[in-house]
Amino acid sequence: MRLTAFTDVSLRLVMRLAVAKEGELLTTRAAAGMLVVPYSHMAKAVARLSELGLVEARRGRGGGLTLTEAGRRSSVGAIVRELEGAGDLAGCEDDPPCPLRSACRLRGALARAREAFYASLDEVTVESLVSPPTQQTLMVLRSDGSPAVEPS
């Protein structure tokens, strides 16, 4: 199973916001640059994470993005479930629908596999994702996506 690019971008944003210093507000544009994703993709991720109550996005002068307490406490499994949705992993209901769907066991097996995948991610918290050494890497990203050079 592979996560959608949307979920990947969203998780990267949550991780970066989780290590933000007190009072540090990232703009959507800066976050997109740091995490090397197109601005339009980041804006969609911000909008969805805001709808879910995981990210607070304040507009205007002095605005920016912050991770909410709910976002900080959330499990990765819960976030991925919300972002990926509950659709079929196979094209059972595509147009045209699969002719095997009425007697197929694959659909159920894939649903169980997906739930096992999510269950393993339920044990992973956002906070555990950003512990060292990941924390340091996230904190030194520049708006162009490259790591800041540590002074010698």
Side-chain angles (χ1 to χ4, degrees), residues 17-48:
L17 293 176
V19 300
K21 295 175 185 157
E22 182 76 29
E24 177 186 11
L25 297 173
L26 292 179
T27 65
T28 302
R29 190 161 308 283
M34 287 176 176
L35 299 170
V36 194
V37 298
Y39 172 80
S40 60
H41 289 101
M42 185 60 71
K44 289 175 186 173
V46 167
R48 182 68 176 125

Side-chain angles (χ1 to χ4, degrees), residues 32-133:
M34 287 176 176
L35 299 170
V36 194
V37 298
Y39 172 80
S40 60
H41 289 101
M42 185 60 71
K44 289 175 186 173
V46 167
R48 182 68 176 125
L49 292 168
S50 293
E51 285 174 15
L52 295 173
L54 304 175
V55 169
E56 181 182 342
R58 286 184 256 158
R59 293 182 177 211
R61 190 176 193 94
L65 308 172
T66 57
L67 191 63
T68 64
E69 195 54 42
R72 200 170 297 285
R73 289 190 322 263
S74 190
S75 77
V76 175
I79 296 171
V80 172
R81 264 187 198 87
E82 286 291 333
L83 298 175
E84 289 289 315
D88 284 326
L89 292 177
C92 304
E93 301 298 330
D94 287 355
D95 188 22
C98 176
L100 304 176
R101 73 185 184 284
S102 64
C104 183
R105 293 183 178 164
L106 178 60
R107 188 181 204 175
L110 290 173
R112 288 187 300 277
R114 178 181 48 217
E115 188 48 43
F117 172 73
Y118 289 153
S120 69
L121 291 176
D122 284 338
E123 300 171 15
V124 180
T125 63
V126 169
E127 207 150 65
S128 71
L129 285 181
V130 298
S131 60

